[in-house]
Amino acid sequence: MRLTVLPDDSLFDEPLLIRIDGLPPGTEILLEAEAEDATGVPWQSRAAFRSDEAGAVDPAGQAPLSGTYGGVDPPGLLWSMSPLGGPEDPRKFQAGHGPLLIRFTAVEAEAVRTSFTVVRRATVPGVKRTQIQEGSLSGAFYQPASETPVPGVVLFHGSGGGVAGLEPVAGLLASHGYAALVVGYFGVPGLPGHACEVPLEALASGVRWLSSHPEVDPARLAAAGTSLGAEAALAAASFVEGLPLKAVAAMSPSSVLWQALTPGMLQRKGRWSLKGQGL
């Protein structure tokens, strides 16, 4: 039995080729994937397959008999990983800054095992990371190696807050030639502790900071966010005049402004403010 996983060192968003060869036709195989996130929490997934007439298992063209995902889905073993407590465990995967090691193991009849470990990265060599703290602007800046100005993307996190959760995305964008700035807009110095009347000027300052960077092309600037971050990006683009944005990528967005998000109770306030007035 031969397990192949290629490439053995790649970016998070690159497809992996996973294949098992050298089996008798019709052999049932359990394929497992295991990794530890940046906080040391183990994550795992599994899928059972039956080898084809050539004695091969290819998840890119075969649906698992059972497992943590269903149907033909080449990256299924990656996205269906869950923490040690199983799918009901509420913890989220913490990617961190460093490379991620993923160990793939093929098990035949719980006796014959073969494993292969690959490296997955958020950034390629040459990408520069800078921590930003200028007044109320808190963030992380990822800059690709380039001799000419590059397009820029400002990233706004969701309701989980913090900057670290979006840094792997910023690293991937920089690896593909974009300058990426993750902006913290609540729970950071100088700004509200929760998503309650957050000044849109704080979000706009991130856009303007990136636009004015000498190695960023201000004519090619976008904002992107997911969930609350999508609402943040759309609100800033809609209400703050003169922002040099050419595009907004809004994932799980809202077409309206919602009430504040604070622990324990609903607020009769909105999430955003402008010029000192709640919106």
Side-chain angles (χ1 to χ4, degrees):
M1 177 172 60
R2 183 175 66 256
L3 172 63
T4 302
V5 187
L6 295 173
D8 59 1
D9 192 328
S10 60
L11 289 172
F12 284 138
D13 61 348
E14 292 183 49
L16 284 178
L17 182 152
I18 306 170
R19 185 178 174 89
I20 304 172
D21 294 286
L23 296 167
T27 302
E28 189 167 323
I29 287 289
L30 180 64
L31 189 57
E32 301 174 324
E34 300 172 291
E36 282 192 3
D37 70 11
T39 63
V41 174
W43 290 63
Q44 53 192 209
S45 60
R46 59 179 55 87
F49 295 91
R50 181 170 285 111
S51 60
D52 61 18
E53 295 179 354
V57 170
D58 180 5
Q62 293 175 250
L65 305 173
S66 61
T68 52
Y69 75 95
V72 178
D73 194 340
L77 281 168
L78 299 177
W79 67 255
S80 69
M81 281 188 179
S82 59
L84 194 60
E88 301 306 315
D89 192 320
R91 286 176 289 187
K92 295 182 179 180
F93 191 91
Q94 304 297 323
H97 302 303
L100 175 69
L101 301 181
I102 303 178
R103 182 180 179 88
F104 292 90
T105 302
V107 184
E108 179 186 355
E110 298 186 358
V112 180
R113 302 173 65 91
T114 182
S115 297
F116 193 91
T117 300
V118 300
V119 179
R120 300 284 273 178
R121 303 179 186 274
T123 59
V124 296
V127 169
K128 180 182 177 182
R129 178 189 180 276
T130 305
Q131 192 73 30
I132 305 298
Q133 185 63 63
E134 298 182 8
S136 62
L137 175 60
S138 296
F141 179 46
Y142 282 76
Q143 184 178 353
S146 176
E147 296 181 356
T148 58
V150 298
V153 182
V154 182
L155 297 168
F156 298 118
H157 58 74
S159 58
V163 171
L166 274 180
E167 290 202 51
V169 178
L172 281 174
L173 286 167
S175 298
H176 291 296
Y178 296 84
L181 174 66
V182 185
V183 175
Y185 55 92
F186 67 83
V188 295
L191 291 174
H194 305 284
C196 179
E197 295 194 342
V198 175
L200 291 181
E201 290 90 344
L203 284 73
S205 68
V207 175
R208 294 193 174 105
W209 186 95
L210 191 60
S211 174
S212 65
H213 195 281
E215 297 185 31
V216 174
D217 182 355
R220 294 185 291 168
L221 199 66
T226 300
S227 188
L228 177 62
E231 185 180 330
L234 288 170
S238 299
F239 292 105
V240 180
E241 295 182 3
L243 279 188
L245 288 173
K246 301 301 180 182
V248 173
M251 292 152 275
S252 299
S254 171
S255 61
V256 298
L257 303 180
W258 289 85
Q259 74 271 20
L261 283 173
T262 56
M265 63 180 297
L266 290 175
Q267 293 283 346
R268 294 183 179 274
K269 296 180 179 180
R271 297 177 182 179
W272 318 108
S273 69
L274 185 65
K275 299 179 180 179
Q277 299 296 315
L279 299 178

